[in-house]
Structure formats: C-alpha cells, structure tokens
Amino acid sequence: VRNIDRHLALMRKESTSTIAFEFPDGSPVLLPPSDISCYLTPPDNNQPMECTVKDSTQSGQYKVVFTPITRGLHQLHVRVHDINIPGSPLSIPVSLAPEMRGNPVKSITGLNGNPYGIDATDDGLIIVSELIGYRI
C-alpha cells in the first residue's frame, strides 16, 4: 500500500488521504472498498479511530476519510480482510485548523489573586489556576 497524496490533515476537520494497492509489477490491485478497513492512531497511541474507505475516480485508488481530534504525526493502519498490509501504517501529519491558530489570548477577569499555574492540553485548551481562590 502507498499514500498517493501527502497533504497535511487538519485537526477536528474531515480529512482524506488517497491510498493505492499495487502488484510488484506496478499494476493496480482492484478491491471492493468493503474489503478494506483502516484506522488512525494519534501520536499518543490512545483511542484509535475508525476511518471510512471509498472508491476513488482512479483505478486501484481509494479515499480514506477521517477526522483527527489531536495534532501531531498520526499513523494510518490499512488492512484487507483484517490482515495488515505491507507498507502500513502510513504517516499522516495533522495540524491545527487555520481558525484555531493564532487566536489572541483573552484576559481573565474576577481573579482573587495572581495566576498560580498555567498549562495547555495537546488540543490547545489553556488551563489557568488561581492561588488565593483555589480555582481553575
């Protein structure tokens, strides 16, 4: 199996990747999409997600549809009749969607004291804790 298009997928957006199966001589292997299954694992290998496989307009090529929920380098695992295929998994880079990038930091009002700690999750959520009010 090989990845035909090497584009960047976007976090929390439906994305596609085109894959192809070929015989050693380079001729396409034709399969019904129902014989192909795929799942995507995020960088932390937690909660793999199923993907949808659809026919492509090109002979021997298939569209894999998925919606990643974290950013980073994901692995696309491809199987035919529940058998892992040589060349799988394929690496799929996932980035933040444009509307999730570069948002200005909003001011926090109503604190009883100074911020005590700040942390961020992998998907961009910022958490601020307060020293005096013991709030998050």
Side-chain angles (χ1 to χ4, degrees):
V1 66
R2 67 184 177 95
N3 195 353
I4 301 295
D5 52 4
R6 297 191 179 271
H7 65 275
L8 191 66
L10 297 178
M11 187 173 119
R12 300 187 192 280
K13 299 284 183 185
E14 185 175 279
S15 301
T16 61
S17 186
T18 304
I19 60 172
F21 299 94
E22 296 176 346
F23 287 109
D25 67 2
S27 61
V29 175
L30 304 176
L31 298 164
S34 59
D35 289 354
I36 306 166
S37 61
C38 297
Y39 65 94
L40 192 70
T41 55
D44 61 6
N45 286 324
N46 192 13
Q47 296 178 341
M49 65 185 71
E50 291 295 320
C51 305
T52 303
V53 180
K54 299 179 178 180
D55 261 326
S56 176
T57 55
Q58 298 285 75
S59 179
Q61 295 183 8
Y62 305 87
K63 293 272 185 204
V64 179
V65 182
F66 52 91
T67 304
I69 58 172
T70 60
R71 62 183 171 182
L73 192 60
H74 289 58
Q75 299 299 312
L76 179 64
H77 301 262
V78 181
R79 305 178 83 178
V80 174
H81 296 290
D82 292 327
I83 298 171
N84 292 322
I85 298 301
S88 172
L90 302 165
S91 295
I92 306 289
V94 177
S95 180
L96 290 174
E99 64 271 13
M100 298 176 83
R101 293 186 213 141
N103 292 336
V105 175
K106 297 179 181 178
S107 62
I108 301 170
T109 60
L111 292 176
N112 290 331
N114 295 325
Y116 180 70
I118 299 175
D119 200 358
T121 63
D122 288 338
D123 58 355
L125 178 66
I126 298 173
I127 302 166
V128 179
S129 63
E130 178 185 10
L131 178 60
I132 295 175
Y134 302 105
R135 296 186 291 186
I136 294 181

